[in-house]
Amino acid sequence: MADNQPVCGPCVSKGLCGGKGMLTLKEGAWTSNPLAIQVLGICSALAVTNKLENSIVMGIALIFVGVFSNLFVSLLRNVTPHRIRMIAEVAIIATFVILFDQFLKAFYWDMSKQLGPYVGLIITNCIIMGRAEAFALQNPPILSMVDGFANGFGYAVVLAIIGFFRELLGSGEVLGIKLLSESWYTPNQLMILAPGAFFALGIVIAIFNAIKGPEPEEEKK
Amino acid sequence: METSAIIILVAAVLTNNILLTNFLGMCSFIACSGQISTAIGLGTAVTFVMTMTSIINYAIYYFVLEPLGLDHLTFIVFIAVIAAFVQFVEMFIERFSPKLYFALGIFLPLITVNCAILGASLFMIIRDYNFIQSVGYGFGSGLGWMLAIIMMAGLRQKMRYSNIPEPFRGVPIAMIVTCVLAMAFMGFAGMVSIQ
């Protein structure tokens, strides 16, 4: 692990750990996008995407928690006993989630009310947990931060796409601006309600699959 | 708020199904709904854990955290309680039903990060349920989750023989089916309602 450090040393100035950082970024945000390709963390993705505003805040929350929890899991990776690593990860993640929650409560009370328990549920978001477990435990801090950012970013983008279309089709307006005039478009309430969320996510994943091309993957028995 | 626990229980199963209206517990729902037997096993485990953790978390929140003014620690305490409890259930299942233990495999520890469990505890606090209501809500949510995953497993077993367009195979079609399922459950909406 330590021999990764020099590789990462000089490139900090360049921002993204050279080639490896770029690769990590691309992997997290596109080729193995946590939401659309790996289908992780969909609970919150479905719940908060009824409005673009909520989706963006949630995306920011995930980037924040992802970056810092990955950083600290990575910093502590050599001193964390293997057997209790899960608890340690959860504790680190929960700390940052609480920070973000308190921040929302203090400065954006309305938003905090709207997101309800879903901010707290970032703790159980498989993306964060998965990245901490799969990446931060094996990689140096800076690279882990990049990975956390990439995955959070990939998540946020897909979230924003879903949020945009659900709000657009569901109420005809986005962020309070009327885009589809009521004279020819009747808002489809269903898109804001629960079934619309499942439908929208299903379509988005299918589109990602189609772009990525066919994969020799059978549905598991 | 004088809703009785029975009403909350029914509502949590049908009208406010934790999976189909609050989207909680989707990860294991998608990953573990391949076979009915696995779905039943996981559903039972979730119901049990959810009921018990609601009770424990209720006690901790109202007897420890709130009197001491520590409610900002809610998340971390709840998740610790859940993690410890899941560990206990895992040991229990391993001891008494090795077959189920192998079937559920990796997904047992994943109950810890099953958002439905933490979600149920958080909703219970947010909605100010009293003790009996909390028990009803925890149990009902677990039952509702189990109902949904078993239905889904049944549907997916049927779907295995259908000809689905290439990009929709796997997760996307599961989502679309869940969408239809959620619409069907919306039909219950007029029956009972909680918040």
Side-chain angles (χ1 to χ4, degrees):
Chain A
M1 300 300 156
D3 54 346
N4 278 345
Q5 221 69 46
V7 183
C8 220
C11 57
V12 177
S13 49
K14 276 201 297 183
L16 279 180
C17 284
K20 210 172 171 194
M22 242 9 236
L23 191 73
T24 313
L25 192 64
K26 191 178 165 223
E27 218 165 63
W30 175 247
T31 45
S32 59
N33 187 299
L35 199 57
I37 308 289
Q38 300 183 57
V39 202
L40 292 175
I42 36 190
C43 322
S44 49
L46 292 164
V48 300
T49 48
N50 53 355
K51 273 178 150 183
L52 182 57
E53 206 182 356
N54 297 358
S55 317
I56 293 173
V57 172
M58 196 65 183
I60 294 172
L62 211 97
I63 293 176
F64 170 77
V65 177
V67 167
F68 285 102
S69 58
N70 257 11
L71 172 69
F72 279 89
V73 168
S74 176
L75 281 175
L76 296 174
R77 71 186 189 281
N78 292 328
V79 293
T80 318
H82 190 71
R83 290 193 58 183
I84 61 150
R85 68 183 195 290
M86 295 280 255
I87 289 286
E89 284 161 16
V90 170
I92 292 170
I93 294 167
T95 311
F96 288 105
V97 172
I98 291 173
L99 276 181
F100 194 84
D101 185 53
Q102 297 289 321
F103 173 77
L104 272 190
K105 275 191 182 141
F107 296 103
Y108 300 96
W109 175 244
D110 291 341
M111 184 50 79
S112 167
K113 259 274 169 290
Q114 272 195 37
L115 290 177
Y118 293 104
V119 176
L121 286 167
I122 297 179
I123 301 175
T124 54
N125 192 315
C126 331
I127 299 175
I128 307 269
M129 195 69 188
R131 290 329 286 176
E133 179 81 16
F135 197 92
L137 274 183
Q138 275 99 37
N139 287 285
I142 302 292
L143 200 60
S144 300
M145 273 177 90
V146 174
D147 182 72
F149 177 79
N151 279 280
F153 184 71
Y155 175 85
V157 167
V158 178
L159 216 60
I161 295 174
I162 301 178
F164 177 79
F165 281 106
R166 277 186 72 193
E167 196 179 354
L168 181 70
L169 297 177
S171 59
E173 52 183 42
V174 175
L175 296 175
I177 305 159
K178 203 115 200 117
L179 288 183
L180 298 175
S181 135
E182 237 141 72
S183 55
W184 58 274
Y185 180 78
T186 314
N188 182 359
Q189 282 290 322
L190 198 66
M191 286 308 284
I192 301 186
L193 295 172
F198 292 113
F199 186 73
L201 186 61
I203 297 288
V204 166
I205 297 175
I207 291 173
F208 263 76
N209 278 351
I211 295 173
K212 228 172 58 132
E215 206 175 341
E217 192 185 37
E218 298 285 298
E219 188 163 345
K220 284 174 203 87
K221 278 184 252 100
Chain B
M1 207 178 59
E2 299 299 323
T3 351
S4 82
I6 304 290
I7 291 183
I8 289 184
L9 194 149
V10 175
V13 176
L14 297 176
T15 56
N16 288 51
N17 188 298
I18 196 155
L19 194 123
L20 297 171
T21 59
N22 292 324
F23 316 106
L24 298 176
M26 283 301 296
C27 303
S28 26
F29 174 75
I30 292 293
C32 245
S33 58
Q35 263 183 336
I36 293 190
S37 53
T38 321
I40 294 176
L42 190 66
T44 320
V46 166
T47 310
F48 177 64
V49 173
M50 204 180 265
T51 316
M52 296 311 284
T53 49
S54 308
I55 295 172
I56 301 170
N57 283 340
Y58 181 90
I60 290 184
Y61 187 81
Y62 285 106
F63 296 120
V64 181
L65 292 179
E66 204 171 44
L68 297 179
L70 291 174
D71 29 353
H72 54 279
L73 290 180
T74 307
F75 297 156
I76 206 161
V77 170
F78 278 13
I79 200 80
V81 167
I82 292 167
F85 195 78
V86 168
Q87 198 79 47
F88 167 74
V89 173
E90 193 183 349
M91 278 161 18
F92 186 81
I93 294 184
E94 190 179 11
R95 172 80 177 77
F96 289 101
S97 173
K99 211 176 139 211
L100 186 63
Y101 184 75
F102 282 112
L104 296 181
I106 183 175
F107 293 109
L108 256 184
L110 279 185
I111 294 186
T112 313
V113 286
N114 187 327
C115 11
I117 312 255
L118 181 61
S121 290
L122 290 177
F123 271 123
M124 160 187 101
I125 301 296
I126 288 177
R127 292 179 183 166
D128 277 330
Y129 287 153
N130 66 28
F131 181 68
I132 306 290
Q133 286 172 329
S134 302
V135 178
Y137 183 70
F139 185 58
S141 303
L143 278 186
W145 196 86
M146 184 163 153
L147 179 69
I149 194 173
I150 290 174
M151 285 166 76
M152 189 65 193
L155 288 168
R156 280 183 102 163
Q157 277 189 339
K158 294 270 180 222
M159 270 187 334
R160 207 172 295 156
Y161 304 107
S162 38
N163 185 17
I164 303 159
E166 192 70 48
F168 278 94
R169 299 238 167 115
V171 179
I173 195 70
M175 282 297 181
I176 308 275
V177 170
T178 318
C179 162
V180 178
L181 212 55
M183 268 196 265
F185 268 69
M186 277 173 74
F188 291 117
M191 237 168 56
V192 277
S193 67
I194 43 170
Q195 302 208 343

